[in-house]
């Protein structure tokens, strides 16, 4: 990977390393990697990162990091976007994004390459939808420095108090678990926007759009349960978890929800949480173009909506939102 720039008047008297950060967007980690294992030239001569620049100097830096690793794309993983530095796929349920301690679980990164990949967004094992992967660390760094918009679709029990709104409730790790999260004042800031897309009174289920304004582990699932509307099929934060929260008075809005045998029966319509990463917007770090991706609802969630009586035309409208 090679980076080039010409020093301008602002660069005069500053270091070559500072110029690489300013002109090429290099992270401190990549600047260090070039210093230790790469090559830096100014006007065709070997130089150091701390070398001071003059206006008009020509800087060329070569990184030991490759542009992209070798990929093998499974036919059953729909490709949504590909560029020299990026890859976006539709992840099915049952696959984790990163290699896990449980070697029996398939992971997306290992399926795609024998070399290191850099997931930009992460989905729970049984959450479906768009996963964006950077093919090198530099692309990953640039993506984290620019705005990214994520939208999810979920089927939840009950109905939110308004047609749309925002849940602002800090999330922390549960004291008795390394996996579970919970709402707590001493947790990290977490903000989730919601919008009701449809409500099915005969089943007391809602189709809801969620937009993340922060990125906490299990954020949508925790916030939905906290608001008294747990995700359909959610084994960690679903109906049983909500019932326990009501008893402990940990979910202030949940007490308004009435849990019945019908709710638990409906829960069996899904063998996973009904959550899908439906839309993702980001800026491609190479082309600088704004990219907008959509991934239609998976068949299991569509089956539930059909069960609720949503007409096929309305289903098509929902997945195009």
């Amino acid at each position: 990977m090679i980076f080039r720039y010409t020093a301008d008047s602002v660069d005069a008297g500053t270091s070559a390393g500072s110029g690489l950060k300013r002109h090429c967007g290099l992270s401190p980690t990549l600047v260090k990697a070039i210093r230790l294992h790469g090559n830096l030239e100014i006007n065709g001569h070997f130089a150091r990162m701390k070398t001071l620049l003059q206006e008009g100097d020509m800087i060329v830096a070569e990184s030991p990091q490759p542009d992209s690793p070798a990929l093998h794309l499974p036919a059953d993983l729909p490709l949504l976007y590909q560029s020299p530095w990026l890859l976006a796929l539709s992840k099915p349920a049952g696959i984790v994004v990163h290699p896990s301690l449980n070697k029996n679980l398939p992971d997306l990164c290992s399926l795609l390459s024998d070399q290191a990949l850099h997931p930009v967004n992460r989905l729970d094992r049984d959450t479906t939808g768009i996963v964006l992967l950077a093919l090198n660390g530099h692309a990953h760094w640039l993506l984290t420095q620019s705005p990214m918009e994520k939208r999810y679709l979920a089927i939840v029990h009950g109905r939110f108090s308004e047609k749309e709104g925002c849940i602002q409730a800090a999330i922390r790790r549960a004291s008795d678990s390394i996996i579970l999260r919970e709402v707590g004042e001493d947790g990290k800031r977490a903000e989730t926007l919601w919008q009701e897309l449809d409500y099915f009174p005969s089943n007391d289920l809602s189709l809801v759009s969620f937009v993340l304004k922060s990125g906490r582990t299990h954020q949508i699932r925790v916030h939905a349960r906290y608001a008294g509307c747990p995700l359909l099929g959610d084994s960690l934060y679903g109906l049983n978890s909500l019932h326990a929260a009501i008893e402990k008075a940990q979910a202030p809005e949940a007490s308004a929800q009435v849990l019945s045998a019908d709710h638990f029966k409906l829960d069996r319509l899904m063998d996973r949480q009904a959550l899908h990463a439906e839309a993702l917007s980001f800026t491609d770090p190479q082309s600088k173009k704004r990219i907008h991706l959509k991934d239609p609802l998976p068949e299991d969630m569509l089956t539930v909506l059909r069960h609720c009586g949503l007409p096929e035309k309305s289903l098509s409208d929902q997945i195009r939102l």
Side-chain angles (χ1 to χ4, degrees), residues 76-78 90-97 105-108 111 123-131 270-277 295 298-301:
D76 57 347
L77 292 179
S90 176
K91 186 187 85 67
I95 297 180
V96 296
V97 176
L105 287 176
D107 70 271
L108 191 61
L111 286 173
L123 301 182
D124 297 336
R125 181 182 67 183
D126 287 330
T127 297
T128 57
I130 303 169
V131 172
M270 293 281 297
D271 59 4
R272 66 175 184 93
Q273 65 269 11
L275 183 61
H276 179 69
D295 188 20
E299 188 58 34
D300 57 356
M301 291 180 67

Side-chain angles (χ1 to χ4, degrees), residues 95-115:
I95 297 180
V96 296
V97 176
H98 273 299
S100 65
L101 294 177
N102 183 354
K103 300 300 182 181
N104 294 323
L105 287 176
D107 70 271
L108 191 61
C109 290
S110 297
L111 286 173
L112 295 172
S113 179
D114 297 327
Q115 299 165 273

Side-chain angles (χ1 to χ4, degrees), residues 129-150:
I130 303 169
V131 172
L132 178 65
L133 302 113
L135 303 184
N136 59 68
H138 178 56
H140 184 270
W141 165 261
L142 292 176
L143 282 165
T144 62
Q145 305 305 302
S146 63
M148 183 174 294
E149 298 172 11
K150 310 171 190 176

